[in-house]
Amino acid sequence: MRRRTSAYAFAERVELPGATFRMGGEDADANPDDGEGPVRAVRVESFAIDAYAVTNDRFAAFVGATGYRTEAEQYGWSYVFATFLPGPLRKISPRPPQTPWWCGVRGASWYHPEGPGSHVDGRGDHPVVHITWHDALAFCQWAGGRLPTEKEWEYAARGGLDQARYPWDNDLTPDGQHRCNIWQGTFPARNTQEGGYAGTAPVHAYDPNGFGLYNAAGNAWEWSADPWRPDDEDRRTMRGGSYLCHDSYCNRYRVAARTSNTVDSSSGNIGFRVAWPPRSGAG
């Protein structure tokens, strides 16, 4: 496992040549409304993509250089997983009826991920979260990159494997080893943390896939450039799953899996990764 410390240490890029690959899936466990299938041959032109999701340290550098305020900061609140909150704050924070494990917490943001009194100290190498699609775009524009398209993201996440369920192979825990940061136990009441983490993990945790991408499954959702449906610009696709994904209700840590959110939505498990133009002469 590689360890780095500087603010830009986790900005390494993986250069990928143009290729045709089989995108999508026809997994029996998939939600039919997610639009994973059918499996189809898709051409991707050469591009580069970050080996890691954008970290708190990288985002802090962006904020320090620009004074940017995220939409969660502007709105004054964001969603936090209820278990992470102290009892009094959990009690006064509203919950969506469909997903009562989320609390709308006043003062929650990328810098205060569990609301007032919390901070990202000691989590500089964790993925930045509470990031809306607009926030992710602003960072990309400042950095000179962009958000990956869905086909780019999936091609990169597959790591050169054809139709494997996960970025490493078809076994969730090969040889009994955890390869991603997802919920262990009974969701949402009991997390055994067998994978090592209750919330986000460092972006360099676990082994990379065949292309050198880290945490292409689990840890934090990653925004893509693409709309969820062709006629719905207000919802954008997210890929990769998060530390809250569990087979009992959300197995979207599979490579072909997809979900979406509105462009102004944020929560404690949504981040992003940056894509880039290829180096001159890349095929």
Side-chain angles (χ1 to χ4, degrees), residues 79 94-103 187-188 249:
Y79 283 114
R95 305 188 187 206
Q98 299 87 354
T99 53
W101 46 86
W102 286 113
C103 291
F187 187 85
Y249 90 102

Side-chain angles (χ1 to χ4, degrees), residues 85-122:
L85 300 174
L89 183 56
R90 185 165 62 242
K91 185 175 181 180
I92 64 171
S93 299
R95 305 188 187 206
Q98 299 87 354
T99 53
W101 46 86
W102 286 113
C103 291
V105 177
R106 300 291 303 177
S109 69
W110 78 272
Y111 192 70
H112 301 289
E114 290 81 50
S118 68
H119 50 73
V120 295
D121 293 352

